Amino acid sequence: MNAGALTAYLDRIGAGRPTVLDAPALAGLHRAHQTAVPFENLSIHLGEPISLDEGDLIAKIVTRRRGGFCYELNGAFALLLEALGAQVSRLAARVHGEGGLGPPFDHLALVVRLPDGSGPWLADVGFGANSSYPLRYDSRDGQDDPGGRFSLADAVGGDVQVARDGEPQYLLEQRERMLADFVPTCWWQQTSPDSHFTSSTICSRLTGEGRISLSDRTLIRTSNGVRTERELGTDGEVLAAYRDNFGIMLDRVPAVARGRLPGPHPDGVRSDGS
């Protein structure tokens, strides 16, 4: 990432360049990313192929000011942190769902070591409703966060189990991967009728008071623990909601293919946006 792209990325998330990339600076970038860049699967329902090429990630998230799902969001965030001097490992995870664990490479998360040698930190800006701040990757104690109480536990085979409020979220491998390793499962997530991402649309981001999500035509706000829902009737209302709440400018409403039934989303945001 060149200097111009780095400046543009920081502007995209409303953050200044940290003088030193230490733990507080990482925490600020982590929260700023989730506040500015939505978790969304709209490309699938707009017929836009999803590319994990590094240049394409920056073009979509920074230049076009869109969001994405885990491969895109954490893939781009890794590039930002590396440009600021961090050492970033890309790790694969299997997400816990109603039917058990998802497939290998179901999720991408990051382990970050900072230039001053501190860390490691589990950074994840691509799991929807998740921790607002990075988690200590080497701690096995409970960690309190605005998003809940998180814990990491050693699992069979050397994996790490990540839980939120006692509920398992995903099983994380410790082997470092390349972004290209996620391409086959990324394609499966975009195309398979068995993928939850093909069954409904979701666009969701963190706010100062909670979270705002647009799930199909339902606009959901959670503010200081109070949840409200509003059904949007016309296409114009839906397009305005994407524009006003997520900064996403569309010329048509993303359409789910007929015959697909809505289901819970992996990556931490259910199809109802919670």
Side-chain angles (χ1 to χ4, degrees):
M1 186 183 299
N2 61 34
L6 174 57
T7 299
Y9 201 139
L10 291 169
D11 178 71
R12 169 74 174 99
I13 64 174
R17 180 167 185 165
T19 304
V20 177
L21 184 60
D22 54 12
L26 174 64
L29 293 171
H30 195 274
R31 182 175 175 84
H33 204 286
Q34 294 182 82
T35 302
V37 184
F39 176 94
E40 50 108 330
N41 68 343
L42 305 182
S43 288
I44 294 171
H45 305 288
L46 291 168
E48 302 170 348
I50 294 173
S51 169
L52 300 189
D53 175 82
E54 292 180 355
D56 291 338
L57 293 179
I58 299 303
K60 181 178 181 181
I61 291 172
V62 178
T63 306
R64 295 167 50 204
R65 305 184 77 83
R66 284 281 302 278
F69 55 9
C70 69
Y71 312 115
E72 301 170 280
L73 298 179
N74 282 325
F77 192 50
L79 298 176
L80 174 64
L81 296 179
E82 288 173 335
L84 293 171
Q87 177 187 341
V88 183
S89 298
R90 295 152 178 83
L91 304 185
R94 301 177 67 190
V95 178
H96 287 274
E98 292 181 353
L101 282 170
F105 298 95
D106 196 21
H107 181 60
L108 164 66
L110 310 174
V111 171
V112 180
R113 292 171 174 82
L114 299 177
D116 62 4
S118 62
W121 297 93
L122 175 61
D124 193 345
V125 298
F127 199 71
N130 191 46
S131 66
S132 299
Y133 300 106
L135 303 173
R136 282 298 310 226
Y137 187 62
D138 55 357
S139 174
R140 297 300 177 260
D141 298 325
Q143 303 183 54
D144 290 320
D145 179 270
R149 184 169 177 82
F150 290 82
S151 62
L152 280 66
D154 296 318
V156 175
D159 294 340
V160 174
Q161 185 82 263
V162 179
R164 174 191 180 197
D165 295 332
E167 294 292 327
Q169 301 295 292
Y170 54 78
L171 187 65
L172 188 65
E173 294 182 356
Q174 297 200 64
R175 175 184 173 184
E176 185 172 0
R177 301 287 186 174
M178 297 184 297
L179 194 56
D181 295 332
F182 295 85
V183 168
T185 308
C186 179
W187 177 84
W188 180 87
Q189 300 281 24
Q190 299 173 65
T191 59
S192 173
D194 295 325
S195 165
H196 296 296
F197 284 117
T198 62
S199 64
S200 58
T201 63
I202 184 66
C203 187
S204 181
R205 68 173 181 85
L206 198 65
T207 68
E209 299 77 33
R211 177 166 292 275
I212 186 164
S213 304
L214 181 54
S215 176
D216 292 325
R217 289 177 177 264
T218 304
L219 186 64
I220 306 164
R221 296 179 187 270
T222 304
S223 181
N224 299 317
V226 178
R227 175 188 171 104
T228 60
E229 296 186 10
R230 181 164 69 93
E231 293 298 321
L232 306 179
T234 68
D235 286 359
E237 288 180 288
V238 175
L239 294 175
Y242 282 124
R243 181 193 66 225
D244 297 341
N245 296 289
F246 307 101
I248 294 178
M249 307 293 291
L250 301 176
D251 58 8
R252 58 191 171 91
V253 174
V256 178
R258 296 183 65 181
R260 288 176 173 162
L261 299 176
H265 277 270
D267 288 330
V269 178
R270 298 201 312 259
S271 61
D272 62 0
S274 62

